[in-house]
Amino acid sequence: MRSNSEPDTILQNHILNMYGKCGSLEDARKVFDTMLEKNLVSWTSMIAGYSQNRRERDAIGLYFKMRGLGILPDQFAFGSMLRACSGLNDFELGRQFHADVIKSEFGSNLITQNALVAMYTKCNRLEDASVLFERINEKDVILWGSMIGGFAQQGCEIEALQLFKEMLSNGVYCPNEFVFGSVFSACSSLLRFEYGKQIHSMSIKFGFGRDVFAGCSLSDFYAKCGRFDSAKTAFYQIEMPDLVSWNAIIAGFAYSGDSSEAMLFFSQMRHSGFIPDEITILGLLCAFTNSATFFQGQQVHSYIIKTGFNLDIRVSNTLLTMYAKCSDLSKVFNIFEEMKSGVDLVSWNAILTACLQHNQVNDVFRLLKLMHSSQYKPDEVTLSNVLGACSNLASLEMGYQVHGYTVKTGLEVEILITNGLIDMYTKCGALENARKLFESMRNPDVVSWSSLIVGYAQFGYGNEALELFKNMRNLGVKPNHVTYVGVLSACSRVGLVEEGCHHYRTMETDHGIVPTREHYSCIVDLLARAGMLKEAESFINQMPFDPDTIVWKTLLAACRTQGNVEIGKRAAESILKLDPSSSAAHVLLCNIYASAGSWDDVARVRKLMRSRGVRKVPGQSWIELRDEVHVFLVEDRSHPKINEIYMVLGELWLQMIEAGYVPDQRFVSIEPLDE
């Protein structure tokens, strides 16, 4: 801009404001630096530009430079600085500015008070925000909206709804679209369909039925509540849906698992002239979670490559996760290799999680070594995956090493890591180590308690598990579904049928925990172990859903132990209806017939196996010795020290015979011949 006249400060301030709102901060700074006369508005405009465009540290630096020149801030400067503190999540700095506000003449200014409440809520200091909110006599709808939105965003959804109700009961304030958006979000998190439906009617009454902001949150609410027709209706009622609205409806259907609808909206969005951004792609990829949706996931992957979104590390990491859920591990490794030097810590954690999901624990340890040689070091998510691999492999030695690393790096104090260590120790049978670690915790959570309870139950220490459960209840820790798996398993191990049935009956009434298939399997095991096979079978037939093979196998195994041919036959038939190729059902049924001396039936089942091409999967076990894992299969003679191993087994057998041991021939496994 060329002119012979002297620069106009007011005009330059307007230019500063324009550049700031357009995000052209370099141009704004050039104008600011060349201004011969800067007033408070000049400084405030430049500070606001930085704050609004996520350059919080530049805003703070410029503010202190202004103060150093003796220029006092006004309510707008304070508002920008408090917004910067929110962006940095710097509560302590925010408190310092609060003190400056109190000392200034703007302590009772509504703009400053709104900014303070917003800062406290975004920094998750809801108690401080509430105290300040209550002290403000003259509130406006923005202040109410900040407080309601803060509660909704920080997981206090009930409080958000109560405050919304209080706002309406005053009869003074009319909620705006942002208030409705926050309230719909609160209903989404609570999955309170009836509340959301009533508030939807209210939003229409206040004239926000077609508003883009309220409609975006409303469609997301309906999708999360599983009311997909209502979600689509709410979206199509938005007068002018923007990119955020399209992203919300796509993500809503994607997170609910409806990949077809998510893809449909993705197509409609592009045909409407909107260009997808990385948020669109990240939401859409979450729709593909199994092999049935893999083809759609591959289509989106092709689009990602075509449009260059694969250069975005967040998109590539989400692709890794998608392939891990939908495909085999080799394709996941291909994606990881294609990322090359662009990987970050999230990428490493994603590939480690994929290996664990596909039960490739050796790959977890291999990748961990590669990760150590990279610029990224393990965090709590990494170590949680590694501990999961140690648990699956029952590798106590590796678990010790990971534990040592967590102590060295200070990560042991993270509750995710501590819980992972407890779980690892229990699954490796090191219950004493698990108990010591548990007792060293200041505030063990429900996961800590449940891991230890399940561990004691699985290794036959039922009474100890039940005592732990009693202590947990006395301390006011609310159990979850995993806790009750441990409790019911403990009752099964020590034969406490009545107590187990009592816990099963009260888990829903006392704690709202609806029994899952796993809990039903525990009750079947409880009854079957106690010799109550008829009651166990009757319990299975009364289940509210179709029993799976696990439940029937639990009953079948008990029938083998107790020699009940009649119920065992029915259990095996039920398994074979669900899975005709089940080798376990065929073999167990063979053994039941053999223990009863029904050799004709044994021959019949073995013939049936041959006709169906069913082969028994060989049993496998392993032992870790001197940092090496030795794996053994049934009748496997490939181990380099097999002669020495059989020699020791022979010596042990002789010692058992000399000690008077008489083998129980009923439970000698009848192995089908490979013919």
Side-chain angles (χ1 to χ4, degrees):
M1 183 175 64
R2 296 181 180 179
S3 174
N4 294 324
S5 62
E6 291 294 322
D8 186 337
T9 302
I10 296 176
L11 176 60
Q12 288 177 316
N13 287 341
H14 281 300
I15 294 171
L16 277 177
N17 187 46
M18 179 271 294
Y19 277 135
K21 288 182 177 178
C22 292
S24 301
L25 296 181
E26 301 308 319
D27 292 319
R29 189 60 193 250
K30 285 178 183 177
V31 172
F32 180 80
D33 289 338
T34 57
M35 291 178 69
L36 298 176
E37 294 183 12
K38 302 182 183 73
N39 58 17
L40 176 59
V41 177
S42 313
W43 287 93
T44 303
S45 297
M46 194 65 229
I47 290 168
Y50 280 134
S51 178
Q52 291 165 0
N53 289 280
R54 304 304 304 272
R55 288 176 59 173
E56 293 88 355
R57 298 200 182 278
D58 289 327
I60 292 168
L62 196 62
Y63 172 85
F64 283 117
K65 186 175 181 180
M66 178 186 82
R67 291 299 307 272
L69 294 172
I71 301 173
L72 296 177
D74 61 3
Q75 67 270 34
F76 302 107
F78 278 128
S80 294
M81 293 317 301
L82 291 167
R83 187 185 301 113
C85 294
S86 301
L88 294 171
N89 198 29
D90 193 334
F91 165 67
E92 290 300 330
L93 184 60
R95 288 189 68 178
Q96 293 178 35
F97 281 118
H98 190 176
D100 284 348
V101 168
I102 294 172
K103 294 175 186 176
S104 73
E105 60 183 282
F106 302 104
S108 58
N109 182 274
L110 202 53
I111 293 175
T112 311
Q113 290 173 330
N114 283 338
L116 280 167
V117 170
M119 183 273 294
Y120 280 125
T121 57
K122 288 177 181 176
C123 290
N124 199 17
R125 294 285 179 164
L126 297 180
E127 188 175 344
D128 294 308
S130 298
V131 170
L132 181 60
F133 180 78
E134 292 300 327
R135 289 177 181 171
I136 299 172
N137 295 321
E138 296 183 8
K139 303 178 177 70
D140 63 2
V141 68
I142 297 174
L143 189 62
W144 283 97
S146 294
M147 204 65 214
I148 293 169
F151 277 126
Q153 290 165 9
Q154 300 297 344
C156 300
E157 294 86 1
I158 295 294
E159 290 83 352
L161 293 176
Q162 289 173 341
L163 200 60
F164 178 67
K165 183 178 179 182
E166 182 184 337
M167 174 187 174
L168 294 175
S169 66
N170 286 331
V172 178
Y173 309 100
C174 293
N176 59 21
E177 66 271 29
F178 304 110
V179 173
F180 277 114
S182 296
V183 176
F184 287 135
S185 295
C187 293
S188 298
S189 300
L190 294 171
L191 298 179
R192 296 289 182 90
F193 173 68
E194 289 303 324
Y195 286 2
K197 190 176 179 182
Q198 292 175 28
I199 296 168
H200 182 188
S201 300
M202 195 179 300
S203 70
I204 295 172
K205 179 181 176 182
F206 279 97
F208 298 108
R210 299 177 65 81
D211 179 78
V212 63
F213 191 88
C216 177
S217 297
L218 179 63
S219 59
D220 179 67
F221 155 71
Y222 279 127
K224 286 181 179 175
C225 289
R227 307 300 177 111
F228 301 118
D229 288 339
S230 298
K232 287 194 280 188
T233 300
F235 176 78
Y236 287 131
Q237 284 179 346
I238 297 174
E239 189 169 3
M240 295 181 67
D242 57 8
L243 181 60
V244 176
S245 309
W246 283 104
N247 287 347
I249 193 69
I250 290 169
F253 280 99
Y255 291 137
S256 69
D258 194 335
S259 59
S260 297
E261 283 291 342
M263 288 288 282
L264 179 62
F265 274 103
F266 180 62
S267 177
Q268 289 179 4
M269 169 190 177
R270 290 156 60 206
H271 288 151
S272 298
F274 287 93
I275 300 174
D277 62 4
E278 67 277 5
I279 305 300
T280 318
I281 303 301
L282 291 171
L284 183 59
L285 285 173
C286 294
F288 317 119
T289 56
N290 52 54
S291 58
T293 59
F294 183 47
F295 178 70
Q296 291 173 316
Q298 287 179 304
Q299 289 180 308
V300 175
H301 188 184
S302 298
Y303 175 83
I304 288 170
I305 294 171
K306 180 180 177 181
T307 53
F309 280 115
N310 57 313
L311 300 177
D312 188 309
I313 188 64
R314 294 173 299 170
V315 173
S316 293
N317 289 337
T318 310
L319 268 173
L320 271 178
T321 302
M322 186 273 285
Y323 272 90
K325 292 177 179 178
C326 300
S327 181
D328 59 75
L329 198 55
S330 64
K331 290 186 174 63
V332 182
F333 280 119
N334 289 339
I335 299 293
F336 189 73
E337 288 298 322
E338 287 172 7
M339 293 169 69
K340 295 180 181 178
S341 59
V343 299
D344 62 4
L345 183 58
V346 177
S347 315
W348 283 105
N349 288 338
I351 192 73
L352 288 169
T353 302
C355 293
L356 201 57
Q357 288 172 346
H358 287 263
N359 203 30
Q360 298 299 315
V361 291
N362 289 327
D363 282 325
V364 172
F365 297 125
R366 178 180 63 81
L367 286 167
L368 183 64
K369 290 181 181 179
L370 289 175
M371 183 181 178
H372 266 293
S373 62
S374 73
Q375 61 178 308
Y376 298 101
K377 301 306 173 190
D379 65 354
E380 58 269 27
V381 178
T382 317
L383 295 177
S384 178
N385 280 319
V386 176
L387 286 170
C390 295
S391 300
N392 289 353
L393 198 58
S395 177
L396 186 58
E397 183 59 36
M398 180 62 75
Y400 282 141
Q401 293 181 35
V402 176
H403 192 174
Y405 181 85
T406 64
V407 174
K408 181 180 177 181
T409 56
L411 289 171
E412 187 190 25
V413 297
E414 298 288 340
I415 195 161
L416 177 68
I417 295 299
T418 310
N419 288 339
L421 285 166
I422 291 172
D423 182 65
M424 180 273 295
Y425 279 129
T426 56
K427 287 179 178 175
C428 290
L431 296 178
E432 187 176 345
N433 291 29
R435 187 62 181 260
K436 285 180 181 178
L437 194 58
F438 175 82
E439 290 175 349
S440 70
M441 297 177 71
R442 290 185 179 180
N443 294 300
D445 62 6
V446 63
V447 178
S448 320
W449 285 96
S450 300
S451 295
L452 199 57
I453 289 170
V454 170
Y456 272 116
Q458 287 178 340
F459 282 90
Y461 296 97
N463 291 322
E464 289 81 352
L466 294 172
E467 185 64 26
L468 270 173
F469 179 64
K470 181 180 177 181
N471 294 339
M472 174 184 174
R473 294 283 306 277
N474 290 338
L475 290 171
V477 181
K478 186 178 179 181
N480 62 15
H481 69 284
V482 178
T483 317
Y484 271 101
V485 169
V487 169
L488 296 176
S489 298
C491 293
S492 178
R493 294 296 193 277
V494 294
L496 296 175
V497 177
E498 286 300 321
E499 184 173 348
C501 290
H502 169 74
H503 286 306
Y504 165 75
R505 287 192 296 268
T506 59
M507 61 187 285
E508 184 171 6
T509 56
D510 291 358
H511 299 288
I513 300 171
V514 179
T516 64
R517 290 182 183 275
E518 202 167 3
H519 297 116
Y520 282 101
S521 294
C522 289
I523 293 297
V524 172
D525 185 59
L526 172 72
L527 297 171
R529 280 176 183 265
M532 303 168 67
L533 296 176
K534 289 184 179 179
E535 290 82 354
E537 184 181 26
S538 176
F539 180 82
I540 292 173
N541 291 327
Q542 293 174 11
M543 286 166 58
F545 38 70
D546 293 333
D548 57 12
T549 58
I550 295 174
V551 172
W552 286 116
K553 284 177 183 177
T554 302
L555 180 61
L556 180 58
C559 290
R560 180 209 174 190
T561 304
Q562 298 173 36
N564 191 313
V565 177
E566 181 184 350
I567 296 178
K569 183 180 178 182
R570 289 198 292 271
E573 289 172 350
S574 297
I575 295 171
L576 295 175
K577 284 180 182 177
L578 297 170
D579 182 11
S581 62
S582 172
S583 61
H586 286 95
V587 172
L588 281 172
L589 188 57
C590 267
N591 290 327
I592 290 173
Y593 284 137
S595 64
S598 303
W599 299 106
D600 290 342
D601 290 318
V602 171
R604 179 177 57 80
V605 174
R606 291 174 64 179
K607 183 178 180 181
L608 184 64
M609 289 182 71
R610 286 193 295 269
S611 67
R612 291 178 173 175
V614 177
R615 292 175 177 269
K616 182 180 182 297
V617 178
Q620 179 176 320
S621 61
W622 59 85
I623 185 171
E624 184 180 8
L625 185 65
R626 295 172 186 170
D627 295 333
E628 185 178 356
V629 177
H630 300 265
V631 181
F632 299 93
L633 299 175
V634 172
E635 297 183 357
D636 179 19
R637 302 189 66 88
S638 62
H639 195 278
K641 294 189 177 181
I642 193 65
N643 292 331
E644 292 93 326
I645 292 170
Y646 273 106
M647 188 179 296
V648 173
L649 285 174
E651 291 174 0
L652 288 172
W653 176 255
L654 291 174
Q655 291 177 28
M656 290 166 62
I657 297 299
E658 289 174 3
Y661 172 72
V662 179
D664 190 341
Q665 298 291 340
R666 291 179 305 157
F667 303 130
V668 176
S669 177
I670 304 298
E671 299 289 344
L673 298 174
D674 291 334
E675 298 179 10

